[in-house]
Amino acid sequence: MAEQEARARGHDRVTADHLLMGLARLDEGVAVMTLNSLGVDLGGTRTRAINADLVHLTELARREAAGLGHRYVGTEHLLLGLLHMDGTEALGVGLQQVRDQVIKVLHGDVL
């Protein structure tokens, strides 16, 4: 979806902004549920990491997944990787706050 967002805007390179726009369009998944439960509106969010290296972002997401004991990389791990790269200012929430909320969402502790 991030690639579709980039193409729709005439960009030849997928960036962190496109990833966030793709997550917002997805309107489901752990990342979206987590951000919604924290009151973050993905639709109006822009990141500072316009030219973020998505290979690096993917590696950070893999580390987050491993740190949580997961053998997959999901939307929640991409979100945490983005917060690593872009800092807590990216979405107005802190990395640890989001990580804790991801765990709650995964355990069904958030409606």
Side-chain angles (χ1 to χ4, degrees):
M1 293 192 91
E3 192 173 320
Q4 291 172 354
E5 289 293 335
R7 272 190 259 129
R9 285 159 178 70
H11 302 151
D12 59 352
R13 185 168 180 246
V14 178
T15 67
D17 269 348
H18 302 124
L19 176 65
L20 276 178
M21 288 183 251
L23 285 175
R25 267 191 41 212
L26 188 60
D27 201 33
E28 61 182 28
V30 176
V32 171
M33 291 173 61
T34 298
L35 292 174
N36 285 341
S37 69
L38 291 170
V40 176
D41 175 21
L42 270 176
T45 303
R46 305 258 322 155
T47 69
R48 289 181 299 109
I50 299 296
N51 295 314
D53 177 1
L54 292 184
V55 173
H56 182 60
L57 172 61
T58 303
E59 179 56 34
L60 290 170
R62 286 185 185 139
R63 288 182 195 168
E64 283 292 337
L68 292 171
H70 301 158
R71 294 178 178 244
Y72 67 94
V73 174
T75 60
E76 63 273 26
H77 307 114
L78 291 168
L79 173 62
L80 293 169
L82 178 64
L83 286 173
H84 266 290
M85 289 181 75
D86 211 20
T88 57
E89 304 83 26
L91 302 172
V93 290
L95 175 61
Q96 190 59 50
Q97 178 186 16
V98 173
R99 189 180 291 122
D100 292 344
Q101 195 70 6
V102 162
I103 292 167
K104 287 179 184 176
V105 169
L106 289 171
H107 287 123
D109 295 337
V110 175
L111 298 176

